[in-house]
Amino acid sequence: MAEIKLSDMRDLTRIERIGAHSHIRGLGLDSALEARSSSEGMVGQTSARKAAGVIVKMVQEGKIAGRAVLLAGQPGTGKTAIAMGMAKSIGQETPFAMLAGSELFSLEMSKTEALMQAFRKAIGVRIKEETEVIEGEVVEIQIDRPAVAGAASKTGKLTLKTTDMETVYDLGAKMIEALGKDKVQSGDVIAIDKASGKITKLGRSFSRSREYDAMGPQTKFVQCPDGELQKRKEVVHCVTLHEIDVINSRTQGFLALFTGDTGEIRAEVREQIDTKVAEWGEEGKAEIIPGVLFIDEVHMLDIECFSFLNRALENDMAPILVVATNRGITSIRGTNYRSPHGIPIDFLDRLLIISTQPYTSDDIRKILDIRCQEEDVEMSEDAKVLLTKIGEDTSLRYSINLITSAALACQKRKGKVVEMEDISRVYELFYDVKRSTQYLMEYQSQYMFSEVLTGEGEGYEDEANAMVS
């Protein structure tokens, strides 16, 4: 019998793809909002992370809306990472919508409509409603199957108990199917929604914890419910205003939530929904949760989008807006005027600006250690020192991109640990921006449509020389 090697068995639970920011778990702050040097995947940028932590605290309190924050810094200084950390720190219930500035320029809908939909995705509504629930521990499930297949539907009985009472319920075909789907067995504590018939498995009863059943480490043990079997419970649903808009839009309907093809939603529909949500708020049935809208590459927006954002932020139901850019003083799109970050001065005046600084060599080293761990790559100390030096001379993104390619080069030579020779090999194979620009300047005459040698291209040549130096 062939021996099974444990090293060949792959972990099937980890099938998610490793992304550029998949190592980010939060902002890495303590309870006093002080930034730790390296925590939750975040390294360095202590002042920017502290400022982001204050914004997160504002969002969680839910009392402040319509504020705007700008993350400004050079490329590769962790602006998007801070935004991802904010999203993780805020939690599941607070909506966090994310888009890039160039996403708005689509032929399907107007720019202002796309921005309005993004705003509505970032505003949540917590709707409260009372529902009747049957909650108890399963004592026994009896299912009577017909002797002849197809002769009649299945019937059965379900015995549920609490610490005070025990009741037998008759089961129909749908309930039997639902119990089988959730693999409900005797000893489980379940809750049944009377209105919809939905079954929720709450856990396994403590009275069955000593039994030698086939149970995994994820099995949750709970107390047997007390009191009446039938109870009234307050159920909370969290939805965004955009989801309510789509469901109430006659042209699209709720199926558009799954297809993503929402189209333009009429202003009348939104006004009616806002009025209804305000009524629910007064009656105590609903609560509005202002979330966060993050727009990356905000310099790609034009003057019309900025004027729309100016107006939208003054609305009572506006989320907190976080924008990011890596541009300096540049032209505002749609005009001939130049402005800091390519943002009009009147809109810039509304922003709280958080600046990110270039990473130090120690920060680069810590980030590379985290990325090696995330990408499951073993690397020698010398190789990490070399990769840190490459990150200082070129860019952090380039050095991170070399990790996986160096690991593949190591596999090709049947190695287990990435060494300096693997880093050197991939460094020679893949050019960074500086070396690529230098190569272009040397061989520009051999490329098509090369105009650098003409008088008009002198400015470009100066920029290229500055990039190489």
Side-chain angles (χ1 to χ4, degrees):
M1 188 174 161
E3 190 182 339
I4 299 170
K5 290 183 182 177
L6 288 173
S7 59
D8 293 340
M9 292 174 67
R10 298 187 69 185
D11 185 10
L12 296 176
T13 55
R14 273 200 73 195
I15 35 180
E16 77 246 12
R17 294 187 65 186
I18 296 165
H21 300 103
S22 55
H23 62 283
I24 304 292
R25 308 279 181 268
L27 284 170
L29 304 173
D30 60 18
S31 56
L33 295 182
E34 288 295 324
R36 303 185 191 99
S37 61
S38 177
S39 176
E40 296 182 327
M42 296 294 286
V43 174
Q45 306 293 355
T46 51
S47 60
R49 280 158 55 202
K50 274 198 272 187
V54 173
I55 301 297
V56 167
K57 206 74 180 168
M58 282 164 50
V59 173
Q60 285 171 339
E61 286 178 3
K63 293 175 183 175
I64 298 172
R67 298 294 171 92
V69 181
L70 170 65
L71 294 169
Q74 300 160 22
T77 52
K79 296 181 294 297
T80 309
I82 288 171
M84 295 296 291
M86 287 173 74
K88 294 283 171 69
S89 302
I90 281 167
Q92 292 292 325
E93 281 199 357
T94 307
F96 189 98
M98 204 169 185
L99 76 152
S102 52
E103 282 181 47
L104 300 175
F105 297 91
S106 145
L107 295 174
E108 291 180 8
M109 66 176 81
S110 66
K111 294 171 286 190
T112 51
E113 173 65 22
L115 268 175
M116 179 56 85
Q117 288 192 13
F119 259 71
R120 308 277 286 187
K121 281 176 189 171
I123 303 164
V125 182
R126 195 183 280 125
I127 302 167
K128 302 168 191 171
E129 62 175 359
E130 280 198 347
T131 182
E132 289 202 356
V133 176
I134 298 166
E135 194 176 282
E137 182 187 330
V138 178
V139 179
E140 188 184 12
I141 302 173
Q142 292 178 332
I143 298 169
D144 302 323
R145 290 178 174 84
V148 182
S153 60
K154 295 177 191 174
T155 55
K157 292 184 185 298
L158 171 69
T159 310
L160 287 176
K161 72 166 187 179
T162 64
T163 52
D164 300 341
M165 61 185 292
E166 186 173 311
T167 309
V168 180
Y169 293 95
D170 290 325
L171 295 175
K174 282 188 178 179
M175 286 298 289
I176 291 168
E177 190 184 334
L179 288 165
K181 199 175 180 181
D182 288 334
K183 295 177 182 167
V184 174
Q185 55 188 349
S186 59
D188 287 341
V189 177
I190 63 168
I192 304 168
D193 188 345
K194 276 192 80 176
S196 62
K198 185 187 174 187
I199 297 169
T200 309
K201 198 194 277 192
L202 303 175
R204 194 133 179 88
S205 175
F206 272 115
S207 60
R208 304 294 183 108
S209 61
R210 295 184 182 275
E211 293 183 5
Y212 294 97
D213 293 340
M215 289 181 290
Q218 70 276 10
T219 305
K220 182 183 172 185
F221 288 100
V222 293
Q223 292 283 2
C224 179
D226 54 1
E228 297 273 332
L229 271 162
Q230 196 165 311
K231 299 169 186 171
R232 289 187 72 82
K233 275 199 167 184
E234 190 179 75
V235 181
V236 178
H237 306 285
C238 289
V239 292
T240 65
L241 278 180
H242 176 67
E243 287 168 349
I244 302 173
D245 291 345
V246 173
I247 291 165
N248 286 279
S249 176
R250 289 181 184 176
T251 52
Q252 304 298 330
F254 75 97
L255 288 174
L257 285 173
F258 305 101
T259 61
D261 183 23
T262 55
E264 296 213 8
I265 296 164
R266 289 180 296 117
E268 294 83 7
V269 173
R270 290 199 175 107
E271 282 172 17
Q272 288 169 7
I273 288 163
D274 289 348
T275 308
K276 195 68 184 171
V277 168
E279 281 177 20
W280 288 343
E282 287 172 9
E283 292 167 10
K285 291 181 183 175
E287 183 188 349
I288 294 166
I289 316 158
V292 176
L293 171 61
F294 176 64
I295 303 176
D296 206 355
E297 307 293 335
V298 74
H299 53 264
M300 292 302 294
L301 302 186
D302 61 12
I303 193 72
E304 293 169 23
C305 294
F306 284 121
S307 59
F308 176 82
L309 287 174
N310 254 329
R311 179 69 190 86
L313 283 173
E314 291 172 356
N315 197 338
D316 293 340
M317 291 207 297
I320 285 183
L321 178 68
V322 180
V323 297
T325 181
N326 55 20
R327 299 297 164 93
I329 295 171
T330 184
S331 298
I332 302 165
R333 189 170 176 176
T335 71
N336 297 322
Y337 296 103
R338 290 165 69 82
S339 175
H341 313 297
I343 299 171
I345 297 294
D346 60 335
F347 185 65
L348 205 57
D349 193 41
R350 289 179 181 270
L351 303 173
L352 293 168
I353 301 172
I354 300 173
S355 180
T356 55
Q357 307 300 324
Y359 287 111
T360 63
S361 56
D362 290 342
D363 292 340
I364 291 171
R365 173 59 192 269
K366 286 175 186 173
I367 292 166
L368 291 173
D369 285 341
I370 291 166
R371 290 304 302 179
C372 286
Q373 192 177 351
E374 181 72 14
E375 296 179 27
D376 205 14
V377 173
E378 283 190 51
M379 194 176 286
S380 69
E381 191 65 26
D382 291 339
K384 284 181 181 176
V385 169
L386 176 58
L387 202 58
T388 306
K389 185 76 175 74
I390 291 169
E392 285 180 62
D393 294 341
T394 57
S395 71
L396 175 62
R397 286 173 179 165
Y398 175 71
S399 57
I400 287 171
N401 287 336
L402 291 184
I403 293 172
T404 309
S405 46
L408 290 170
C410 176
Q411 281 178 21
K412 285 291 177 188
R413 62 171 181 82
K414 304 287 190 292
K416 295 282 178 76
V417 179
V418 174
E419 300 290 348
M420 282 180 71
E421 61 184 276
D422 301 313
I423 302 289
S424 302
R425 187 180 173 191
V426 293
Y427 180 74
E428 288 169 8
L429 285 173
F430 303 107
Y431 278 17
D432 58 276
V433 177
K434 286 182 182 176
R435 286 184 294 157
S436 179
T437 309
Q438 196 167 9
Y439 180 86
L440 277 174
M441 288 176 70
E442 285 176 18
Y443 298 100
Q444 60 193 353
S445 59
Q446 296 176 25
Y447 282 81
M448 289 182 66
F449 307 114
S450 177
E451 296 179 358
V452 178
L453 293 176
T454 64
E456 292 176 7
E458 284 174 9
Y460 175 81
E461 193 170 8
D462 292 340
E463 284 180 24
N465 284 323
M467 199 178 287
V468 171
S469 60

